[in-house]
Amino acid sequence: MRLISGRLKRKNVILTLALICVLFYTEFFIYHINTRKWVQLKCANPISCTRILLAADPQIIGKKNEVIHSITPLSIWDSDRYLRVTYQRVFSYIKPDVVIFLGDLFDEGSISTQDEFNGYVERLLDIFMVNKLPAEYIWLPGDNDIGGEGVDFVTAQKVAKFNKAFPQSDRVQTENIIFYRLNKMAHYIPEVTDNNDISNEDFIRVGLSHIPILTNYATFPEKVVKEIAPHLLFTAHEHKSKIVHCSPQNMSQREFITDPKVSKKYQYTLSSDDIYEFLIPTCSYRMGTNNIGYGYAIIEDKEVQYTVLWSPTRFPTLLIYGFILGIILPLILIAFCCKLWRIYMPLMRFCT
C-alpha cells in the first residue's frame, strides 16, 4: 500500500512539474524567444532620429458581440493580457519617441453607450500603460470606433465621443516631422493653413489613416497628395503587412510589396518623387490571423527604415490549454479515483 502511495506521489510531482514547465514556456519564455527574431533598426545620429511604434487594430473585446458569453470574462482577460505583454516587449525594444495607434481601438466603440465607451477607454489606457510609458501618443479612430463600414455610419456624435476621450490636433509636429490625422471614412483631410508645411524641404510629411489610402486609386488619394503632399503614409484596417509605392505624378501605377511574417528591414530615401504607404498588421490575435505584430519605423534626415516586430501566435497555446483541460486533467482525475478505490476498498471491507 505504501509502495502504491509512493508511486502516486511521484507521478503527481512529475505531472505538476510538467504543467509548470508548459505554463512557463507558453506564458513567459515564448515571448523572450520571439524577440530574438526581430530586426534592429539603428540611428546614425540619436539627436536627429525619431523612433516610431505603430499599433493597429487592437480591437479590445466588448461585452455585446462576444459569441461564447459564458467564457467572455476569461476571453477578455486573455486577450487584454496578450496585448499588454506583447506591447510591453515591443516598447522596451524600440524605446519610441512617438507611438501611433491607427484606429479600431475597440471592437464595439461605435455601438457603445457613453459609459461603456468610457470603460473601454480606461481598459485601453491600462493595457498599453499609457500613463506609465513616456512617449508622444497619436490616436486615430477606426470604423469600429466611430462607424464607417456597412450600415454602421459615421455620425457627428460618434466622432465627438472619440475626440472627447482622445483630444488632439489633426496636425502633430515632432522635430522636423509633421503628422496629419486623415479620416478616409469621413473623407476628411486636415486643412494646411501654413504653406511652410509644404514648401519647407526640411519637413517630412506623414499621413496617418485607419483606412489604406493608396491601395485603391480614387479621388480621395488624389486630394491627400494634392493638399498635404505626404512622403509617407501609415495605415491599417486590412490586418496585413504591406508596402505600397507610387509616384505622385502617376498614382495609378502602384508597386505592392508583401512579405507576410518575414523579419526584414526596408529602407527608402524620401523625396517629392515617391510616396510610400506602410500597412500595419493587427496586434490582436482575435482578428483571425497568425500574422500579428507592431510596426517599427525610424525617420532620420531624408531616410526611413521600417520593419514589423512580429508577435508569437496565441491560438496554438490556447489549443494546448484546451487539450489539457478537456482531456489530460479528466484522465488524471479518473486514474487518481481508480487508485484510491483500489487502495481503500479492501480496508472498508475489512472494517465492516
Side-chain angles (χ1 to χ4, degrees), residues 22-243:
V22 169
L23 285 173
F24 177 77
Y25 178 79
T26 56
E27 297 302 326
F28 300 98
F29 194 58
I30 192 172
Y31 298 103
H32 174 72
I33 293 175
N34 188 71
T35 59
R36 299 175 69 88
K37 303 175 184 176
W38 290 345
V39 174
Q40 183 60 274
L41 308 181
K42 297 182 179 179
C43 298
N45 184 356
I47 298 176
S48 61
C49 173
T50 301
R51 298 176 178 273
I52 304 171
L53 190 165
L54 300 136
D57 301 271
Q59 288 190 221
I60 66 169
I61 306 171
K63 298 181 179 179
K64 296 178 180 179
N65 294 338
E66 193 69 0
V67 177
I68 309 176
H69 296 284
S70 59
I71 63 169
T72 293
L74 181 60
S75 62
I76 288 176
W77 176 84
D78 188 72
S79 177
D80 288 1
R81 183 182 179 278
Y82 177 86
L83 288 170
R84 183 182 293 108
V85 171
T86 54
Y87 178 80
Q88 190 172 14
R89 291 271 180 176
V90 167
F91 194 99
S92 298
Y93 188 80
I94 297 176
K95 298 178 178 59
D97 303 298
V98 181
V99 178
I100 303 171
F101 285 86
L102 289 162
D104 273 5
L105 309 181
F106 316 112
D107 191 43
E108 301 174 8
S110 177
I111 60 174
S112 63
T113 64
Q114 185 64 60
D115 288 341
E116 289 170 339
F117 192 84
N118 293 340
Y120 295 153
V121 171
E122 187 176 340
R123 260 177 64 204
L124 182 87
L125 299 180
D126 177 64
I127 289 169
F128 294 106
M129 298 165 283
V130 171
N131 297 321
K132 297 179 181 179
L133 300 178
E136 174 87 36
Y137 288 88
I138 301 177
W139 307 91
L140 268 71
D143 51 282
N144 284 339
D145 304 317
I146 61 170
E149 191 170 51
V151 295
D152 184 18
F153 300 110
V154 179
T155 66
Q157 291 79 9
K158 294 175 184 177
V159 174
K161 184 169 61 174
F162 186 92
N163 289 339
K164 182 180 178 181
F166 303 99
Q168 197 163 45
S169 170
D170 290 328
R171 178 192 180 279
V172 180
Q173 182 172 354
T174 174
E175 301 300 332
N176 68 324
I177 305 171
I178 305 174
F179 297 97
Y180 298 96
R181 297 168 68 238
L182 311 172
N183 190 331
K184 191 175 181 180
M185 299 166 293
H187 294 274
Y188 171 76
I189 301 171
E191 183 179 356
V192 179
T193 55
D194 188 353
N195 290 329
N196 194 43
D197 282 9
I198 308 298
S199 60
N200 192 329
E201 295 183 359
D202 293 331
F203 284 161
I204 302 297
R205 295 176 295 278
V206 181
L208 308 175
S209 171
H210 174 67
I211 305 292
I213 302 295
L214 301 180
T215 53
N216 294 307
Y217 180 66
T219 305
F220 189 75
E222 287 185 343
K223 289 181 64 178
V224 169
V225 171
K226 181 180 179 181
E227 295 186 25
I228 68 172
H231 298 94
L232 294 173
L233 295 162
F234 292 123
T235 60
H237 185 63
E238 294 188 4
H239 305 167
K240 298 176 182 178
S241 175
K242 190 185 298 183
I243 300 174

Side-chain angles (χ1 to χ4, degrees), residues 251-288:
M251 295 178 61
S252 61
Q253 297 296 317
R254 302 182 301 277
E255 176 189 11
F256 293 85
I257 304 167
T258 306
D259 283 326
K261 209 153 190 179
V262 172
S263 294
K264 182 177 179 180
K265 181 178 83 170
Y266 299 89
Q267 187 165 356
Y268 302 104
T269 300
L270 303 176
S271 71
S272 58
D273 296 325
D274 298 282
I275 305 173
Y276 295 95
E277 178 174 18
F278 298 93
L279 275 70
I280 314 303
T282 177
C283 59
S284 172
Y285 74 81
R286 291 295 303 260
M287 298 300 103

Side-chain angles (χ1 to χ4, degrees), residues 5-24:
S5 178
R7 287 177 178 175
L8 275 175
K9 288 180 180 179
R10 283 195 296 273
K11 287 183 178 179
N12 288 338
V13 169
I14 292 171
L15 286 171
T16 301
L17 289 174
L19 289 175
I20 290 173
C21 288
V22 169
L23 285 173
F24 177 77

